[in-house]
Amino acid sequence: MTIKNTNDEQTSSTSTEVLAFKDVYKDYPDGDTTVHALAPTTCTIHAGEFVAVVGPSGSGKSTLLTIMGGLQQPTGGSVSLDGKEYSRMSRKELAQLRFSTVGFVLQSSNLVPFLTLEEQLKLHSSYAHEKYDARRAASLMEDLDIQKLHGKYPDELSGGEKQRAAICVALYGRPAVILADEPTASLDTSRAMGVADIFAQATRREHTAVVMVTHDERLLTECDRVLTIQDGKLQESTPEQASQQV
Ligand code: ADP
């Protein structure tokens, strides 16, 4: 991943570039004032990179992640996913690109409440016009230790199980990029490390890029890059510097 201040030279793009921000910023109106949630940012994320984003509450992490995933528009700048610029796409095209390219693990949970875990995976296959891949589903469920939960509805799962089920659904379609917002917040140390390991494997074996917001410094050692964000300003960091912010 490369990250630059807006005034620096444009980062050169490569064939493995998955996500590109050019001068992207986000302001929210707040009464008579404006919250500068994300300062102008130019960065690229490449296939197979495991990137952690660390920062205090209110620093702009969710804003960054939701703009990356096209869930909200920036105030200015351009965002491209897989070489396609969001602002040039219709809502339908953007939704299709998001479905085929991004796996979300959101705090609000990306599970459909009235489908069992297995049905969520089948729905994904059906929407993608692909055959249900029972072997992949079983292998992911086993890796995440949720194989016994395949017939359960989200309401029947604990917080930690729900989080692992959401990760399973996000990984199932082999997305180009996983955007995960504190995906291990409800997990104990061993399960949290297990999830980091599964993400790391996806980056190596399937060249998935993973961008993971986390407060868990134990996971930073698994990542290729650590970014810190403070008052909306994103910068590359070392795991040691990031640990001080956690
Ligand atoms: P984090 O995820 O790091 O906690 P956020 O991206 O949620 O940070 O928020 C960054 C800043 O933007 C905060 O000051 C927050 O209060 C503000 N903010 C976020 N969403 C909105 C919104 N919809 N309207 C107004 N201000 C917002």
Side-chain angles (χ1 to χ4, degrees):
M1 204 208 73
T2 3
I3 180 162
K4 291 194 165 205
N5 291 325
T6 307
N7 294 332
D8 293 348
E9 268 175 42
Q10 172 62 34
T11 305
S12 65
S13 68
T14 72
S15 58
T16 59
E17 181 178 291
V18 177
L19 200 51
F21 267 34
K22 186 165 185 292
D23 303 334
V24 173
Y25 67 99
K26 180 72 180 178
D27 294 337
Y28 294 111
D30 185 20
D32 292 341
T33 60
T34 300
V35 179
H36 302 294
L38 186 66
T41 302
T42 294
C43 70
T44 51
I45 291 176
H46 296 94
E49 283 188 322
F50 191 178
V51 182
V53 179
V54 174
S57 181
S59 58
K61 304 182 295 297
S62 301
T63 300
L64 176 75
L65 217 59
T66 50
I67 291 175
M68 281 181 166
L71 296 175
Q72 69 166 331
Q73 296 297 319
T75 306
S78 79
V79 185
S80 303
L81 179 63
D82 223 10
K84 298 167 192 93
E85 197 187 323
Y86 289 168
S87 65
R88 295 175 191 269
M89 304 173 80
S90 68
R91 285 176 73 96
K92 189 175 172 195
E93 286 168 337
L94 181 55
Q96 279 167 346
L97 178 70
R98 218 167 23 217
F99 173 78
S100 61
T101 317
V102 186
F104 287 102
V105 185
L106 301 175
Q107 287 197 38
S108 55
S109 178
N110 46 319
L111 300 172
V112 183
F114 50 84
L115 295 179
T116 65
L117 172 55
E118 191 173 38
E119 286 166 350
Q120 321 245 356
L121 302 178
K122 286 182 173 170
L123 176 71
H124 190 287
S125 293
S126 151
Y127 195 69
H129 304 292
E130 285 169 3
K131 199 167 167 284
Y132 175 58
D133 188 343
R135 279 179 66 173
R136 177 160 177 82
S139 152
L140 282 172
M141 285 190 219
E142 193 179 331
D143 286 350
L144 288 156
D145 194 19
I146 50 173
Q147 60 274 47
K148 291 191 182 135
L149 307 178
H150 63 94
K152 300 260 188 200
Y153 292 93
D155 268 2
E156 299 175 304
L157 306 176
S158 71
E161 289 168 346
K162 223 181 263 184
Q163 208 151 37
R164 283 177 285 143
I167 292 165
C168 180
V169 173
L171 283 166
Y172 174 73
R174 293 190 172 81
V177 60
I178 292 270
L179 300 175
D181 195 358
E182 298 198 43
T184 61
S186 312
L187 305 181
D188 60 34
T189 299
S190 125
R191 290 210 192 280
M193 293 309 288
V195 164
D197 206 38
I198 287 165
F199 281 153
Q201 279 179 35
T203 63
R204 285 194 297 268
R205 292 185 189 159
E206 294 166 3
H207 305 291
T208 307
V210 177
V211 181
M212 174 180 72
V213 167
T214 186
H215 281 116
D216 193 340
E217 75 178 292
R218 296 162 302 182
L219 308 185
L220 302 182
T221 51
E222 289 277 357
C223 298
D224 301 313
R225 290 280 190 279
V226 182
L227 301 179
T228 51
I229 184 164
Q230 183 102 38
D231 297 329
K233 295 187 188 81
L234 193 67
Q235 61 179 29
E236 212 154 346
S237 192
T238 63
E240 292 72 33
Q241 287 166 333
S243 293
Q244 290 168 9
Q245 286 215 19
V246 171

